[in-house]
Amino acid sequence: MSLAEGMHEGVIAIARDAGAAIMAVHRDDIAVRAKADDSPVTAADMAAHRCIVAGLAQLTPDIPVLSEESAHTVPLQQRRAWSRFWLVDPLDGTREFLKGNGEFTVNIALVDDGVPVFGVIQSPVSGAVWHGAPGQGAFRRDGDAERAIATRRPATAPLRVAASRSHLDARTAAMLQRIGEHESIGLGSSLKFCLLAEGGMDAYPRLGPTSEWDTAAGQAILEAAGGCVLDLRGRPFRYNQRDTLLNGDFVALGDPALPWRGWI
């Protein structure tokens, strides 16, 4: 039995606990501080971080954890020596959390030799959980009810294209123009990958900065549902392969047959 099969319920439980920890923090009562990259961090981020790190340490003590909130403490040489590790964003969409629009998530991915092999995304507001492992299927769980999900293939016009709620840059806006007839859907955090995976959207182009913990869980789930996440040379995204933890430009597709190269 693979780890994703044997441990996935434990990871889902950890993600739910982290979501509860986020919701226990009242937005009006929290202080916001800026990290080195000027992104905000709150008590909710840290509460979820502590919950996930402790939970994964108990569940899989031999697998290291790289979390957004502690990545700066892990030397490059140390993390580059890891062949298997958990890649975590305790609160993806802090800006959305502060706005109170509900579009934030908990992201947990297992990365093996650079490949995201299992992902869990939890929505603290709705309680929904998306999880999947490439080759084993993707699923959405609401309460105790679970259903298999799949991307929309073939994708037909007008395409439903995800746009970042807080980070739509000029280059991405220009790409959206080149797509042609489409419906643009604004959505925050990794919920974009979830909606792609369950067939609610067709594409998510991103020509702006993201970090590896923003995309790994979503990529695992999307690939498990039949989609893909590619750099602009057509290569699947890989993780912990470079000195930086920043991602390059990418396009996430529900239908890999879409003519995305014509959008660049």
Side-chain angles (χ1 to χ4, degrees):
M1 179 178 289
S2 73
L3 184 142
E5 293 171 324
M7 296 294 178
H8 75 275
E9 289 299 333
V11 180
I12 289 171
I14 291 168
R16 282 176 158 169
D17 288 346
I22 290 169
M23 296 304 291
V25 177
H26 297 287
R27 287 183 295 106
D28 293 339
D29 298 332
I30 61 177
V32 182
R33 63 179 175 86
K35 292 186 286 190
D37 63 356
D38 289 331
S39 61
V41 63
T42 69
D45 296 78
M46 298 310 300
H49 164 77
R50 289 189 292 268
C51 179
I52 295 169
V53 170
L56 291 176
Q58 182 175 3
L59 185 69
T60 56
D62 296 331
I63 301 178
V65 179
L66 186 66
S67 168
E68 176 181 11
E69 305 311 335
S70 60
H72 62 283
T73 69
V74 181
L76 170 63
Q77 295 80 2
Q78 180 180 346
R79 71 168 174 82
R80 289 295 300 274
W82 296 343
S83 60
R84 173 176 280 200
F85 67 102
W86 294 105
L87 184 55
V88 172
D89 192 341
L91 200 173
D92 182 20
T94 300
R95 287 182 174 86
E96 314 307 330
F97 171 74
L98 292 170
K99 292 175 185 176
N101 65 17
E103 296 175 2
F104 51 90
T105 58
V106 175
N107 301 346
I108 304 176
L110 179 64
V111 176
D112 195 349
D113 286 332
V115 178
V117 296
F118 176 57
V120 174
I121 294 174
Q122 194 262 357
S123 167
V125 171
S126 71
V129 176
W130 295 262
H131 63 98
Q136 299 179 35
F139 305 88
R140 173 172 174 160
R141 184 178 301 185
D142 294 274
D144 294 328
E146 181 165 286
R147 60 183 175 89
I149 57 175
T151 60
R152 189 169 79 118
R153 291 174 291 165
T156 56
L159 297 181
R160 293 169 290 190
V161 181
S164 175
R165 180 77 76 189
S166 298
H167 300 280
L168 184 62
D169 65 297
R171 294 173 61 224
T172 304
M175 177 187 266
L176 292 175
Q177 292 291 326
R178 290 190 288 272
I179 289 174
E181 183 183 7
H182 72 279
E183 177 186 358
S184 183
I185 302 173
L187 193 62
S189 74
S190 61
L191 289 171
K192 295 181 283 292
F193 290 101
C194 299
L195 200 53
L196 274 168
E198 61 183 39
M201 286 192 289
D202 299 304
Y204 167 34
R206 183 61 181 265
L207 304 184
T210 60
S211 295
E212 294 193 355
W213 44 74
D214 294 318
T215 58
Q219 181 174 348
I221 295 166
L222 180 56
E223 289 182 349
C228 61
V229 179
L230 307 173
D231 67 19
L232 299 193
R233 294 175 62 183
R235 302 172 300 185
F237 254 29
R238 294 295 178 256
Y239 296 85
N240 198 30
Q241 304 295 296
R242 298 168 298 141
D243 293 349
T244 179
L245 289 166
L246 291 175
N247 289 325
D249 299 337
F250 68 85
V251 59
L253 304 170
D255 182 357
L258 279 169
W260 62 270
R261 294 180 187 274
W263 307 344
I264 299 174

